[in-house]
Amino acid sequence: MINKKVANVQEALNGVSNNMTFMFGGFGLSGIPENAIAELVKLGVSGLTCISNNAGVDDFGLGLLLQKKQIKKMISSYVGENEEFERQMLSGELDVELIPQGTLAERCRAAQSGFPAIYTPAGYGTEVAEGKETREFDGKMYVLEHAFKADFAFVKAWKGDAAGNLIFKGTARNFNPNMCGAAKITVAEVEELVPLGTLDPNQIHIPGIFVQRIFQGEVYEKRIEQRTVRPKIS
């Protein structure tokens, strides 16, 4: 069994540099690789192209990289709660490619599976399809979308072992599984790194073959983007 465990986030991010393309798991603030993002801010790498469902909020998640102007291009499905993301997009400081959420997921999965492209009906007849190949299947039109090409994929899981096997928890599963193995190097940070043989094989969501580096994360904030509670009953 190949041991993919690295000592810390610094070792896990060895090889990152300016002008690379990164994938980031997570949906809003749920399941984001907090440690990897914080380390990228410290490293100061710039000119980045980031593939992520959205960019978190102004002072957390990918918003931290946006604040430092480290991101050159965002490939996302929506702007979300990040006002700085919106400001940079509207001012032209940031190159933004907005694509349908399902298409984003499937372009990740295509890269993971080794498929060069997929056909999807999403976006046909809109700006999304401009300049792209279209084709009819069984009387319905589809748009050709290419698989993503990324240098690193940063994902976050609940539990993992030294072989890279991962288990996600609840809604933190979101985009993380599709991004595993979808880049040249997949880096997984986990809340709990357990000894080999501890994980029940029937509970593993992603087998270790899709992961190149894994480390024990530290101090997860797990912020809630929008907290909704029932009104107080008097």
Side-chain angles (χ1 to χ4, degrees), residues 23 46 58 85 98 100 108 126 130 139 149 166 173-174 190 193 212 224 227 230 234:
M23 288 181 166
S46 61
D58 291 299
F85 184 3
L98 292 177
C108 291
T126 71
E130 289 183 2
K149 295 180 180 179
L166 303 176
R173 195 167 171 180
N174 51 61
V190 295
L193 190 58
Q212 282 71 50
I224 298 175
R227 186 187 300 273
R230 289 182 297 178
S234 55

mmCIF file of all heavy atoms in Angstrom, residues 23 46 58 85 98 100 108 126 130 139 149 166 173-174 190 193 212 224 227 230 234:
data_model
loop_
_atom_site.group_PDB
_atom_site.id
_atom_site.type_symbol
_atom_site.label_atom_id
_atom_site.label_comp_id
_atom_site.label_asym_id
_atom_site.label_seq_id
_atom_site.Cartn_x
_atom_site.Cartn_y
_atom_site.Cartn_z
ATOM 1 N N MET A 23 -8.328 23.472 -8.408
ATOM 2 C CA MET A 23 -9.709 23.130 -8.085
ATOM 3 C C MET A 23 -9.876 23.189 -6.569
ATOM 4 O O MET A 23 -8.974 22.793 -5.831
ATOM 5 C CB MET A 23 -10.046 21.709 -8.560
ATOM 6 C CG MET A 23 -10.191 21.542 -10.044
ATOM 7 S SD MET A 23 -10.616 19.820 -10.423
ATOM 8 C CE MET A 23 -11.127 19.975 -12.127
ATOM 9 N N SER A 46 0.289 33.948 -7.174
ATOM 10 C CA SER A 46 -0.666 34.821 -7.853
ATOM 11 C C SER A 46 -0.910 34.370 -9.292
ATOM 12 O O SER A 46 -0.300 33.409 -9.766
ATOM 13 C CB SER A 46 -0.158 36.265 -7.837
ATOM 14 O OG SER A 46 1.080 36.353 -8.522
ATOM 15 N N ASP A 58 -16.448 37.260 1.837
ATOM 16 C CA ASP A 58 -15.357 38.228 1.728
ATOM 17 C C ASP A 58 -14.137 37.892 2.578
ATOM 18 O O ASP A 58 -13.002 38.062 2.147
ATOM 19 C CB ASP A 58 -15.861 39.629 2.098
ATOM 20 C CG ASP A 58 -16.824 40.166 1.050
ATOM 21 O OD1 ASP A 58 -16.408 40.312 -0.110
ATOM 22 O OD2 ASP A 58 -17.981 40.428 1.392
ATOM 23 N N PHE A 85 -15.895 39.507 -4.696
ATOM 24 C CA PHE A 85 -15.980 38.759 -5.954
ATOM 25 C C PHE A 85 -16.833 39.550 -6.949
ATOM 26 O O PHE A 85 -16.438 39.777 -8.101
ATOM 27 C CB PHE A 85 -16.589 37.387 -5.661
ATOM 28 C CG PHE A 85 -16.658 36.438 -6.841
ATOM 29 C CD1 PHE A 85 -16.146 36.769 -8.096
ATOM 30 C CD2 PHE A 85 -17.238 35.190 -6.696
ATOM 31 C CE1 PHE A 85 -16.207 35.886 -9.166
ATOM 32 C CE2 PHE A 85 -17.314 34.300 -7.754
ATOM 33 C CZ PHE A 85 -16.807 34.660 -8.990
ATOM 34 N N LEU A 98 -18.841 32.042 -15.711
ATOM 35 C CA LEU A 98 -19.972 31.465 -14.995
ATOM 36 C C LEU A 98 -20.594 30.372 -15.856
ATOM 37 O O LEU A 98 -20.938 30.609 -17.013
ATOM 38 C CB LEU A 98 -21.012 32.544 -14.672
ATOM 39 C CG LEU A 98 -20.593 33.603 -13.658
ATOM 40 C CD1 LEU A 98 -21.695 34.646 -13.504
ATOM 41 C CD2 LEU A 98 -20.268 32.983 -12.307
ATOM 42 N N PRO A 100 -23.264 26.666 -15.794
ATOM 43 C CA PRO A 100 -24.293 25.957 -15.018
ATOM 44 C C PRO A 100 -23.668 25.012 -13.990
ATOM 45 O O PRO A 100 -22.645 24.372 -14.256
ATOM 46 C CB PRO A 100 -25.073 25.190 -16.089
ATOM 47 C CG PRO A 100 -24.874 25.977 -17.340
ATOM 48 C CD PRO A 100 -23.472 26.517 -17.245
ATOM 49 N N CYS A 108 -15.814 18.403 -14.007
ATOM 50 C CA CYS A 108 -14.876 17.848 -13.017
ATOM 51 C C CYS A 108 -14.848 16.328 -13.133
ATOM 52 O O CYS A 108 -13.775 15.705 -13.159
ATOM 53 C CB CYS A 108 -15.305 18.233 -11.599
ATOM 54 S SG CYS A 108 -15.142 19.978 -11.171
ATOM 55 N N THR A 126 -28.296 29.729 -25.285
ATOM 56 C CA THR A 126 -27.967 30.891 -24.449
ATOM 57 C C THR A 126 -26.517 31.309 -24.701
ATOM 58 O O THR A 126 -25.795 30.687 -25.492
ATOM 59 C CB THR A 126 -28.144 30.566 -22.954
ATOM 60 O OG1 THR A 126 -27.090 29.665 -22.534
ATOM 61 C CG2 THR A 126 -29.483 29.906 -22.692
ATOM 62 N N GLU A 130 -22.339 29.953 -26.796
ATOM 63 C CA GLU A 130 -21.714 30.730 -27.869
ATOM 64 C C GLU A 130 -20.290 30.256 -28.151
ATOM 65 O O GLU A 130 -19.476 30.122 -27.240
ATOM 66 C CB GLU A 130 -21.709 32.213 -27.503
ATOM 67 C CG GLU A 130 -23.090 32.855 -27.556
ATOM 68 C CD GLU A 130 -23.048 34.345 -27.264
ATOM 69 O OE1 GLU A 130 -21.931 34.878 -27.065
ATOM 70 O OE2 GLU A 130 -24.123 34.974 -27.218
ATOM 71 N N GLY A 139 -33.326 14.133 -31.324
ATOM 72 C CA GLY A 139 -34.198 15.284 -31.429
ATOM 73 C C GLY A 139 -33.964 16.377 -30.409
ATOM 74 O O GLY A 139 -34.706 17.365 -30.369
ATOM 75 N N LYS A 149 -8.870 21.090 -16.963
ATOM 76 C CA LYS A 149 -7.459 20.728 -16.827
ATOM 77 C C LYS A 149 -6.885 21.560 -15.690
ATOM 78 O O LYS A 149 -6.839 22.787 -15.780
ATOM 79 C CB LYS A 149 -6.708 21.001 -18.132
ATOM 80 C CG LYS A 149 -7.159 20.128 -19.295
ATOM 81 C CD LYS A 149 -6.382 20.440 -20.572
ATOM 82 C CE LYS A 149 -6.844 19.568 -21.721
ATOM 83 N NZ LYS A 149 -6.106 19.879 -22.982
ATOM 84 N N LEU A 166 -11.006 8.167 1.425
ATOM 85 C CA LEU A 166 -11.703 9.296 2.045
ATOM 86 C C LEU A 166 -13.165 9.000 2.336
ATOM 87 O O LEU A 166 -13.843 8.312 1.571
ATOM 88 C CB LEU A 166 -11.643 10.522 1.121
ATOM 89 C CG LEU A 166 -10.257 11.030 0.694
ATOM 90 C CD1 LEU A 166 -10.423 12.189 -0.291
ATOM 91 C CD2 LEU A 166 -9.438 11.455 1.897
ATOM 92 N N ARG A 173 -19.904 16.742 1.409
ATOM 93 C CA ARG A 173 -19.546 15.847 0.307
ATOM 94 C C ARG A 173 -19.556 16.627 -1.013
ATOM 95 O O ARG A 173 -18.637 16.500 -1.819
ATOM 96 C CB ARG A 173 -20.543 14.688 0.265
ATOM 97 C CG ARG A 173 -20.114 13.511 -0.570
ATOM 98 C CD ARG A 173 -21.021 12.328 -0.269
ATOM 99 N NE ARG A 173 -20.802 11.220 -1.183
ATOM 100 C CZ ARG A 173 -21.472 10.069 -1.122
ATOM 101 N NH1 ARG A 173 -22.386 9.907 -0.186
ATOM 102 N NH2 ARG A 173 -21.225 9.102 -1.986
ATOM 103 N N ASN A 174 -20.593 17.411 -1.252
ATOM 104 C CA ASN A 174 -20.782 18.268 -2.427
ATOM 105 C C ASN A 174 -19.820 18.043 -3.598
ATOM 106 O O ASN A 174 -19.820 16.978 -4.208
ATOM 107 C CB ASN A 174 -20.827 19.742 -2.003
ATOM 108 C CG ASN A 174 -19.670 20.169 -1.126
ATOM 109 O OD1 ASN A 174 -18.520 20.117 -1.520
ATOM 110 N ND2 ASN A 174 -19.994 20.637 0.084
ATOM 111 N N VAL A 190 -7.935 16.293 5.958
ATOM 112 C CA VAL A 190 -9.001 15.595 6.674
ATOM 113 C C VAL A 190 -9.048 16.042 8.136
ATOM 114 O O VAL A 190 -8.050 16.464 8.708
ATOM 115 C CB VAL A 190 -8.808 14.061 6.617
ATOM 116 C CG1 VAL A 190 -8.940 13.565 5.184
ATOM 117 C CG2 VAL A 190 -7.460 13.648 7.189
ATOM 118 N N LEU A 193 -7.209 11.764 10.555
ATOM 119 C CA LEU A 193 -6.381 10.845 9.765
ATOM 120 C C LEU A 193 -6.172 9.581 10.593
ATOM 121 O O LEU A 193 -5.537 9.611 11.652
ATOM 122 C CB LEU A 193 -5.046 11.501 9.427
ATOM 123 C CG LEU A 193 -4.142 10.783 8.422
ATOM 124 C CD1 LEU A 193 -4.846 10.576 7.092
ATOM 125 C CD2 LEU A 193 -2.855 11.573 8.209
ATOM 126 N N GLN A 212 -3.227 11.900 -4.209
ATOM 127 C CA GLN A 212 -1.760 11.804 -4.201
ATOM 128 C C GLN A 212 -1.141 12.202 -2.850
ATOM 129 O O GLN A 212 -0.117 11.670 -2.458
ATOM 130 C CB GLN A 212 -1.150 12.701 -5.291
ATOM 131 C CG GLN A 212 -1.223 12.119 -6.686
ATOM 132 C CD GLN A 212 -2.629 12.095 -7.242
ATOM 133 O OE1 GLN A 212 -3.333 13.103 -7.220
ATOM 134 N NE2 GLN A 212 -3.058 10.946 -7.740
ATOM 135 N N ILE A 224 -20.816 28.994 9.214
ATOM 136 C CA ILE A 224 -22.123 28.826 8.582
ATOM 137 C C ILE A 224 -22.415 30.097 7.800
ATOM 138 O O ILE A 224 -22.420 31.196 8.356
ATOM 139 C CB ILE A 224 -23.220 28.565 9.627
ATOM 140 C CG1 ILE A 224 -22.921 27.261 10.370
ATOM 141 C CG2 ILE A 224 -24.589 28.507 8.966
ATOM 142 C CD1 ILE A 224 -23.874 26.981 11.509
ATOM 143 N N ARG A 227 -27.208 31.378 8.684
ATOM 144 C CA ARG A 227 -27.816 30.653 9.782
ATOM 145 C C ARG A 227 -29.308 30.983 9.856
ATOM 146 O O ARG A 227 -29.695 32.152 9.934
ATOM 147 C CB ARG A 227 -27.149 31.021 11.114
ATOM 148 C CG ARG A 227 -27.649 30.189 12.295
ATOM 149 C CD ARG A 227 -27.077 30.721 13.603
ATOM 150 N NE ARG A 227 -25.635 30.673 13.605
ATOM 151 C CZ ARG A 227 -24.903 29.625 13.981
ATOM 152 N NH1 ARG A 227 -25.516 28.509 14.349
ATOM 153 N NH2 ARG A 227 -23.587 29.661 13.953
ATOM 154 N N ARG A 230 -35.581 28.912 13.980
ATOM 155 C CA ARG A 230 -36.995 29.164 14.186
ATOM 156 C C ARG A 230 -37.180 30.351 15.116
ATOM 157 O O ARG A 230 -36.379 30.577 16.027
ATOM 158 C CB ARG A 230 -37.663 27.929 14.804
ATOM 159 C CG ARG A 230 -37.794 26.747 13.847
ATOM 160 C CD ARG A 230 -38.512 25.587 14.494
ATOM 161 N NE ARG A 230 -37.746 25.084 15.645
ATOM 162 C CZ ARG A 230 -38.158 24.089 16.422
ATOM 163 N NH1 ARG A 230 -39.335 23.533 16.202
ATOM 164 N NH2 ARG A 230 -37.413 23.675 17.430
ATOM 165 N N SER A 234 -42.890 32.457 22.472
ATOM 166 C CA SER A 234 -43.110 33.095 23.788
ATOM 167 C C SER A 234 -44.226 32.407 24.569
ATOM 168 O O SER A 234 -44.992 31.633 24.033
ATOM 169 C CB SER A 234 -43.440 34.566 23.584
ATOM 170 O OG SER A 234 -44.538 34.714 22.720
#
